[in-house]
Amino acid sequence: MSKGSFTYGGQANVNMQEIAFSIYTAVDSAFYDVEYPEHDWYKVVKEDQVLSDINAGATQYAFISRDRQGAAAFRGQAENNNIPMVSQTAGSSTVPLCASNVGAKIDNEDARQYQMGFNGNLAQDLGECMRFACDNLVERTFFFGDDAVGFKGFMNFPGVPTSTAVSGAAGNTDWSKKTAAEMVKDINDGLAAVWTNSRGVFLPNTVFLPLEQFNLLATTPYTLGASAAVFQSALDYVKKYNIYTNQRGKELEIIPIRYLKNANNSSNKGRMILQDRSKRNQALPFPMGYTLQAPVPVPLGAEFYSEQKHGSYVIRQPLSTLYVDGI
């Protein structure tokens, strides 16, 4: 897969054509749709991070950040006219919101032929296609952003710290050249880096990995002791033995995301993303979900239109996330 590629679109080997069979051919009554990968943005954003309570007429979403400063001093160290004072500062950030739409046109004869040939409802099936098309747009802009409308992407969000995995015993950062213990260490090092760099404010609860690296973690044995009496995968081990689980008492969540392969434009290796994932740290403004409008009559047919309105993915607290390249 090329860097930053979007894995949706038409299949070159599936064409629209008239279908005919011999009378001696047994035809399966079921359709077998072309399979596409599922939309991964649903895996990254939790339900409470999708902000659907924004007015649908808004063109921007804004949030205010506040900071408190000050420290008291002991009475003997502060003169009457030199008592320390506290202060509070505030700043705002805005996120663009954009409406999008897609349509379909149905000819009466097409619908009749479709019903006869496939025993299906063309309007209903094209409606599902439109919903899929709208989700495709969210998928692309969520992960890669869109400079034309000011959207920022999850893959390379500005301000998020970036590091490179350390080399293993084999002299390589790539997980295909690392042991189970070295892969686990990369994850734990990343968790610790976010925790210590934020002075304990943020502690990642989620790790996103490329598919290949997730597979390596899930299938590489992690043995304890020379006798290897205790057997488990590196994935099972790190989900239980990490600083997040130790401090919060919950299992670390590790999620495979296909776009993380070759995610870094400066290298051909995968990117790991560690994130303290919560509504207070990240969000996806979504004022209007997928909405199918009433059909519009046209001569000998009808047109259908659907719309939605969403905004750029936003990381409110950049230190809540860490990119680790080279795995």
Side-chain angles (χ1 to χ4, degrees):
M1 183 177 71
S2 61
K3 299 174 184 176
S5 63
F6 177 61
T7 51
Y8 285 92
Q11 294 287 354
N13 61 335
V14 180
N15 301 310
M16 186 63 184
Q17 58 184 325
E18 188 172 320
I19 301 173
F21 296 101
S22 164
I23 61 172
Y24 301 108
T25 301
V27 181
D28 198 319
S29 60
F31 282 159
Y32 292 91
D33 294 332
V34 174
E35 295 292 335
Y36 290 91
E38 60 183 332
H39 291 98
D40 275 356
W41 74 270
Y42 290 105
K43 299 180 183 178
V44 178
V45 182
K46 297 194 294 186
E47 185 175 348
D48 66 345
Q49 292 180 294
V50 178
L51 308 181
S52 58
D53 57 349
I54 301 171
N55 190 297
T59 59
Q60 289 184 324
Y61 160 73
F63 60 92
I64 298 174
S65 299
R66 293 190 302 181
D67 189 17
R68 293 164 291 184
Q69 298 177 341
F74 292 113
R75 184 174 299 239
Q77 298 173 336
E79 298 179 5
N80 291 337
N81 295 328
N82 192 32
I83 298 175
M85 309 296 286
V86 299
S87 65
Q88 179 174 279
T89 58
S92 64
S93 299
T94 58
V95 179
L97 305 173
C98 290
S100 55
N101 42 67
V102 70
K105 184 176 181 179
I106 298 176
D107 179 88
N108 288 343
E109 180 63 13
D110 290 341
R112 287 190 290 265
Q113 292 180 10
Y114 190 84
Q115 195 282 329
M116 176 184 175
F118 296 125
N119 195 28
N121 186 313
L122 183 57
Q124 178 179 329
D125 289 352
L126 287 179
E128 294 176 0
C129 290
M130 289 191 292
R131 185 182 187 92
F132 187 79
C134 285
D135 243 351
N136 284 348
L137 178 64
V138 179
E139 179 88 349
R140 178 177 61 81
T141 57
F142 173 84
F143 282 104
F144 305 108
D146 192 322
D147 292 337
V149 291
F151 280 23
K152 301 173 183 177
F154 169 76
M155 304 285 289
N156 288 283
F157 197 89
V160 172
T162 303
S163 66
T164 302
V166 299
S167 297
N172 202 303
T173 64
D174 195 324
W175 277 15
S176 64
K177 307 295 194 302
K178 285 190 172 183
T179 65
E182 290 171 339
M183 290 187 285
V184 168
K185 185 177 185 302
D186 281 345
I187 293 176
N188 281 326
D189 285 351
L191 298 175
V194 175
W195 194 47
T196 56
N197 291 341
S198 66
R199 299 183 180 182
V201 175
F202 305 114
L203 181 54
N205 51 26
T206 310
V207 178
F208 302 99
L209 291 174
L211 302 187
E212 180 181 352
Q213 282 73 9
F214 183 88
N215 176 64
L216 287 170
L217 198 67
T219 58
T220 303
Y222 192 102
T223 56
L224 299 175
S227 63
V230 179
F231 175 85
Q232 58 187 323
S233 70
L235 176 64
D236 292 334
Y237 181 84
V238 75
K239 286 168 69 174
K240 297 178 181 178
Y241 300 100
N242 59 81
I243 189 64
Y244 169 74
T245 302
N246 177 273
Q247 292 294 305
R248 301 289 190 263
K250 299 178 182 179
E251 188 174 88
L252 182 68
E253 190 170 9
I254 302 180
I255 300 173
I257 300 293
R258 63 182 178 278
Y259 299 112
L260 292 175
K261 179 180 180 181
N262 301 340
N264 183 10
N265 292 331
S266 62
S267 75
N268 291 319
K269 298 180 181 179
R271 164 170 285 183
M272 171 171 59
I273 299 180
L274 305 99
Q275 191 169 75
D276 187 339
R277 191 168 54 145
S278 72
K279 182 179 180 179
R280 65 187 176 90
N281 296 333
Q282 310 91 22
L284 178 64
F286 221 123
M288 183 173 63
Y290 173 82
T291 304
L292 179 62
Q293 302 297 323
V296 179
V298 297
L300 300 177
E303 292 180 351
F304 295 82
Y305 298 98
S306 60
E307 59 179 339
Q308 65 182 9
K309 190 172 189 177
H310 72 287
S312 170
Y313 175 68
V314 58
I315 298 181
R316 295 192 180 101
Q317 306 284 354
L319 289 181
S320 68
T321 305
L322 175 66
Y323 297 143
V324 179
D325 291 331
I327 66 168

